[in-house]
Amino acid sequence: MLGEENNPELFYASFQFAAVGMALADIQGDFLMVNPSLTRITGYSNNDLMQKRDADITYHEDINLDLRFLQQLLNGEISYYEVEKRYINKEGHKVWVHLSVSAFEDNKGQKFLIYQVKDINRRKKAEKNLRRSEEQYRKLVELCPDAICVHNKNEILYVNEAGLKELDVKEEELVGKPILSLLNDGYHQFYYGIVNEDWSAEQLEFSITLPDGREKDLICSSTPIMFQGEKAFQVVFRDNTYNKELEKTNDILLQQSEKMNLVGELAAGIAHEIRNPLTSLKGFLQLLSADFEDHSFPYDKIIFSEIDRINSIINELLLLAKPTIEELKKLDIRHVVNQVALFMKAQANMYNIEVLVDLPKYPVILEGSENKLKQVFINLLQNSIEAMPSGGKITIEISVLSETFVLSFKDEGYGIPDELIDKIGKPFFTTKENGTGLGLMVTNNIIQHHKGSLSILSKEGEGTEILITFPRTNY
Ligand code: ADP
Ligand code: MG
């Protein structure tokens, strides 16, 4: 029977055939008996090993590793110990082994050591590889310009530099915190689902509350990974607060433009209603003023000019009306600019203003309404002329980019004070005694209908440049 006390052959066989390396040694570690598994692990023959002690085949750095335990073992304080250390095999290579050492005394009171040696080289190599790949991952993620956070089902394990910067927090404020504690209500279940199902997910939008109470909108992707030998999730994230704000602003703009459409329709209706009586008023006034050629009625000029003013307001209001469905045509914007410039030069000359036009040699095509665009250019030139009462230069230029082109109208007029720039283009905002404050709003409206955008660069006392960007169209 196995384990039967007086069957030494069986004992010997189990020693010989054991899968782990085994050795019997004296208390100095000199081997007295070794099994074939140990010769296989160390590469030394039976005879070689009999000339050696454990310390002889131990890698020099590891020799002192278990001295203390050995002492305790020999003192009878412990009955065995285990240690992981490196042997040097016959070929001179390091071999990781798991060593269990126990001691016993024979009936003459002499102490012996029993070594059990397990080859753990493969495991150690795998561990090393894992550590190395983890280190590589860490380095990669550390330097990655994207914000990255690694978490497991419960807590945040790691946040890279870019991530800490993006959220403007310190590492210790996040690492170790439960991931769900950050997510705002309403996202918990959703994210929990993703984590539990091991999903990869992209373009997730979350809002979170940071430990210091700040709220952030994030957009992220989440991917299951292994991290420190455990299942985890890598989340690449980006602050989405700006976009969210933008969405809000866009909503407001949309509302505004809807309002403007409504105003436009109203304006058109009212304008027609006013224009007709105004025309007869003007006619009667003319008759009347003929009667007072002796100037006994001195206010006729004022009334005339006020009527003209009402007329011009109405004309601009009419332009606000929903753009009449006008056929869009492919236009060479250079021709439109040239025509307007020619037309406005006469007026500019009166104020000693030079209009310089610098256009590309090749056609610049835009799909649009010729009359509306003319209106835009006239409005801008009109403003520039009005801003230069004592003369100067207006430059019109076009720069062509790959997808867009930019029209620039630049003057040397009195410019716009910083504090007014936000108000420019708002309905009825004018700094002019006879202004309507509608020109730029109409201009903006038309440009938007052409999918373009307008920006204003201005310095008080130096001049103003209006830039209009339009999408390019092919022939
Ligand atoms: P209006 O010309 O009737 O005042 P606009 O909408 O055309 O109305 O312009 C609004 C205001 O913007 C002007 O009153 C003026 O103060 C300012 N502005 C527009 N263009 C210029 C410019 N080129 N130089 C200086 N100020 C300008
Ligand atoms: Mg104007």
Side-chain angles (χ1 to χ4, degrees):
M1 282 250 100
L2 275 180
E4 211 172 308
E5 274 169 38
N6 41 19
N7 195 343
E9 263 168 56
L10 217 55
F11 273 125
Y12 184 66
S14 55
F15 179 80
Q16 281 297 46
F17 292 109
V20 294
M22 288 178 76
L24 182 70
D26 62 21
I27 54 169
Q28 274 77 35
D30 285 309
F31 293 128
L32 305 172
M33 209 169 126
V34 299
N35 76 349
S37 283
L38 191 62
T39 64
R40 183 176 43 76
I41 292 168
T42 60
Y44 288 109
S45 70
N46 197 56
N47 283 342
D48 285 343
L49 284 176
M50 296 309 249
Q51 318 292 322
K52 294 184 186 296
R53 54 172 71 178
D54 175 63
D56 295 336
I57 58 171
T58 298
Y59 179 51
H60 64 89
E61 281 186 12
D62 295 350
I63 284 181
N64 294 331
L65 220 56
D66 56 343
L67 277 187
R68 194 160 52 90
F69 296 134
L70 188 63
Q71 208 50 58
Q72 288 176 332
L73 186 70
L74 294 173
N75 292 345
E77 293 164 26
I78 51 176
S79 57
Y80 76 97
Y81 70 82
E82 292 177 83
V83 67
E84 286 183 358
K85 66 174 187 177
R86 286 161 290 185
Y87 276 161
I88 296 292
N89 70 9
K90 191 173 182 192
E91 288 173 14
H93 297 311
K94 282 175 236 158
V95 186
W96 272 102
V97 293
H98 178 103
L99 198 67
S100 315
V101 187
S102 43
F104 77 99
E105 229 169 83
D106 69 3
N107 42 22
K108 289 178 209 130
Q110 192 174 355
K111 274 192 176 158
F112 295 94
L113 297 173
I114 306 171
Y115 289 87
Q116 282 183 300
V117 183
K118 209 165 134 193
D119 183 346
I120 54 166
N121 221 27
R122 214 166 336 152
R123 195 194 86 205
K124 282 286 179 185
K125 247 192 199 143
E127 276 174 11
K128 195 171 161 190
N129 281 343
L130 185 68
R131 259 204 312 278
R132 192 183 304 150
S133 73
E134 231 157 50
E135 210 164 289
Q136 279 171 348
Y137 168 80
R138 218 179 167 106
K139 261 188 210 147
L140 206 72
V141 168
E142 196 68 61
L143 299 174
C144 179
D146 290 328
I148 294 177
C149 153
V150 177
H151 66 85
N152 61 17
K153 276 186 188 176
N154 306 311
E155 57 177 350
I156 297 174
L157 302 171
Y158 169 76
V159 184
N160 74 349
E161 269 307 308
L164 297 173
K165 218 167 167 186
E166 182 85 352
L167 298 175
D168 190 20
V169 288
K170 297 212 170 57
E171 192 174 3
E172 56 272 23
E173 289 179 86
L174 285 185
V175 171
K177 294 268 151 53
I179 182 80
L180 289 180
S181 74
L182 289 180
L183 292 180
N184 285 357
D185 294 348
Y187 296 104
H188 284 201
Q189 217 167 358
F190 176 53
Y191 197 66
Y192 201 68
I194 291 176
V195 169
N196 267 343
E197 301 289 330
D198 267 358
W199 279 350
S200 285
E202 289 199 20
Q203 296 286 329
L204 299 171
E205 291 191 14
F206 287 121
S207 67
I208 62 167
T209 305
L210 292 169
D212 62 9
R214 276 177 301 142
E215 300 226 349
K216 293 244 174 200
D217 288 311
L218 300 183
I219 186 155
C220 16
S221 70
S222 172
T223 322
I225 56 163
M226 290 299 283
F227 187 78
Q228 291 167 347
E230 265 185 76
K231 252 198 202 169
F233 298 85
Q234 171 181 292
V235 178
V236 181
F237 63 94
R238 186 155 43 81
D239 195 336
N240 204 25
T241 312
Y242 173 75
N243 282 343
K244 282 274 166 198
E245 299 273 296
L246 208 66
E247 257 173 42
K248 267 186 229 153
T249 327
N250 276 345
D251 280 351
I252 293 171
L253 282 180
L254 199 72
Q255 277 171 14
Q256 237 170 29
S257 101
E258 275 163 10
K259 253 189 232 159
M260 284 317 298
N261 279 341
L262 205 72
V263 171
E265 274 171 50
L266 258 172
I270 295 173
H272 282 296
E273 291 304 316
I274 295 178
R275 205 142 51 161
N276 296 337
L278 209 59
T279 312
S280 41
L281 206 65
K282 201 168 164 183
F284 283 117
L285 188 67
Q286 262 155 356
L287 288 179
L288 203 67
S289 66
D291 284 350
F292 291 104
E293 266 185 12
D294 58 350
H295 298 293
S296 57
F297 179 64
Y299 306 115
D300 56 340
K301 286 222 170 54
I302 298 177
I303 299 181
F304 269 128
S305 89
E306 289 299 295
I307 288 179
D308 281 344
R309 196 167 123 74
I310 296 176
N311 247 331
S312 68
I313 289 183
I314 284 170
N315 284 339
E316 298 211 57
L317 270 178
L318 271 174
L319 284 167
L320 267 181
K322 260 196 168 165
T324 40
I325 303 159
E326 194 179 339
E327 211 186 324
L328 296 185
K329 281 192 301 195
K330 285 191 178 175
L331 306 165
D332 185 348
I333 203 80
R334 295 178 310 162
H335 295 324
V336 187
V337 170
N338 269 330
Q339 279 177 24
V340 172
L342 202 67
F343 164 68
M344 293 297 285
K345 263 178 190 164
Q347 198 191 336
N349 278 339
M350 291 199 314
Y351 294 95
N352 226 351
I353 293 168
E354 202 183 352
V355 181
L356 299 173
V357 184
D358 183 12
L359 302 176
K361 304 262 176 306
Y362 46 87
V364 182
I365 308 299
L366 172 71
E367 201 162 67
S369 142
E370 184 166 353
N371 284 332
K372 289 266 175 351
L373 289 170
K374 275 185 185 164
Q375 184 67 51
V376 165
F377 303 153
I378 290 171
N379 285 356
L380 296 181
L381 286 173
Q382 186 75 39
N383 279 345
S384 287
I385 290 171
E386 285 164 359
M388 294 194 285
S390 43
K393 198 168 67 192
I394 299 176
T395 321
I396 309 176
E397 278 174 347
I398 297 185
S399 354
V400 179
L401 309 171
S402 63
E403 313 254 301
T404 55
F405 65 89
V406 182
L407 280 158
S408 149
F409 290 79
K410 197 169 173 181
D411 65 49
E412 301 172 336
Y414 46 62
I416 302 169
D418 283 347
E419 64 271 21
L420 292 187
I421 202 101
D422 283 344
K423 300 203 173 100
I424 304 291
K426 294 253 157 68
F428 303 110
F429 176 80
T430 179
T431 54
K432 298 166 196 168
E433 207 174 322
N434 290 317
T436 61
L438 291 171
L440 278 180
M441 192 183 63
V442 170
T443 299
N444 240 328
N445 252 16
I446 297 174
I447 291 173
Q448 274 171 20
H449 277 117
H450 285 80
K451 301 193 172 56
S453 60
L454 176 145
S455 48
I456 304 174
L457 304 174
S458 189
K459 191 140 196 229
E460 197 176 0
E462 287 184 17
T464 302
E465 182 174 14
I466 308 281
L467 295 167
I468 312 172
T469 308
F470 282 124
R472 260 179 89 181
T473 309
N474 295 325
Y475 273 111

